[in-house]
Amino acid sequence: NAGVTQTPKFRVLKTGQSMTLLCAQDMNHEYMYWYRQDPGMGLRLIHYSVGEGTTAKGEVPDGYNVSRLKKQNFLLGLESAAPSQTSVYFCASSVTGTGYSEQFFGPGTRLTVL
Amino acid sequence: GNSVTQMEGPVTLSEEAFLTINCTYTATGYPSLFWYVQYPGEGLQLLLKATKADDKGSNKGFEATYRKETTSFHLEKGSVQVSDSAVYFCAHLASGNQFYFGTGTSLTVIP
């Protein structure tokens, strides 16, 4: 099993450009999450999904969109990138959303917006 | 509201020293509590967890006890190793499927 994989690992964008980050998991997990990690702020939830075809907003959803067309994939889109979106982005998945279910994290995508 | 407050770092210890990283939380209801570890260049990995009051989570020599009366979940290890150098995150899962993470505590263990 590859676990949770993220594509790309690094990306540099100019302000106003768009891009999509791909997260894939091969563990048949129902729940998937996108976080951003910023210095001194820990991880903050952007969007999450409780199953194929569903998405929900997290703590910091503005400027991002997501889609979960297939159970194993969770896409994070930036329509018009801004320097404030420079961050490290982590995807995670879990069997359920309860406390008995561990979240498995991908290795992260480092995004710089100039 | 929901939040997690953990001890600010960075923390630098000598090998075999005792480690404590403090974590307190605010949450509605009775959340599950977690410690995650992030090694350089990697994603987060679950270190240990506790799902109800007075539970003790343990793994790789690390321990944390769910203290409902003090809303705390402090991480401890009796004798740290160089390989324990990493960033440690406290987190809780309250209602609504959302995890709340602390800001992370960077630990460096020197030989």
Side-chain angles (χ1 to χ4, degrees), chain A residues 31 33 35 37 40-43 45 48 50 57-59 90 97-107, chain B residues 32 34 36 38 41-46 49 51-52 87 89 93-94 96-104:
Chain A
Y31 287 66
Y33 311 81
Y35 294 92
Q37 183 181 31
M41 302 194 73
L43 274 74
L45 183 65
Y48 65 100
V50 302
K57 294 180 179 179
E59 185 183 358
F90 287 100
T98 72
Y100 296 95
S101 185
E102 174 185 352
Q103 287 199 351
F104 293 83
F105 283 81
Chain B
S32 297
F34 305 81
Y36 278 82
Q38 183 180 30
E42 298 183 10
L44 280 69
Q45 304 172 25
L46 179 65
K49 69 179 183 183
T51 56
K52 61 182 187 295
V87 180
F89 291 90
L93 176 64
N97 306 315
Q98 292 197 27
F99 278 75
Y100 292 85
F101 287 85
T103 55

Side-chain angles (χ1 to χ4, degrees), chain B residues 10-67:
Chain B
V11 175
T12 302
L13 295 174
S14 297
E15 208 164 21
E16 299 184 2
F18 184 85
L19 169 71
T20 299
I21 301 177
N22 291 337
C23 171
T24 57
Y25 66 89
T26 57
T28 53
Y30 301 101
S32 297
L33 303 174
F34 305 81
W35 277 101
Y36 278 82
V37 59
Q38 183 180 30
Y39 298 103
E42 298 183 10
L44 280 69
Q45 304 172 25
L46 179 65
L47 180 60
L48 54 84
K49 69 179 183 183
T51 56
K52 61 182 187 295
D54 300 325
D55 267 2
K56 177 185 284 188
S58 61
N59 185 26
K60 300 181 181 179
F62 291 89
E63 293 183 340
T65 301
Y66 190 143
R67 302 286 188 199

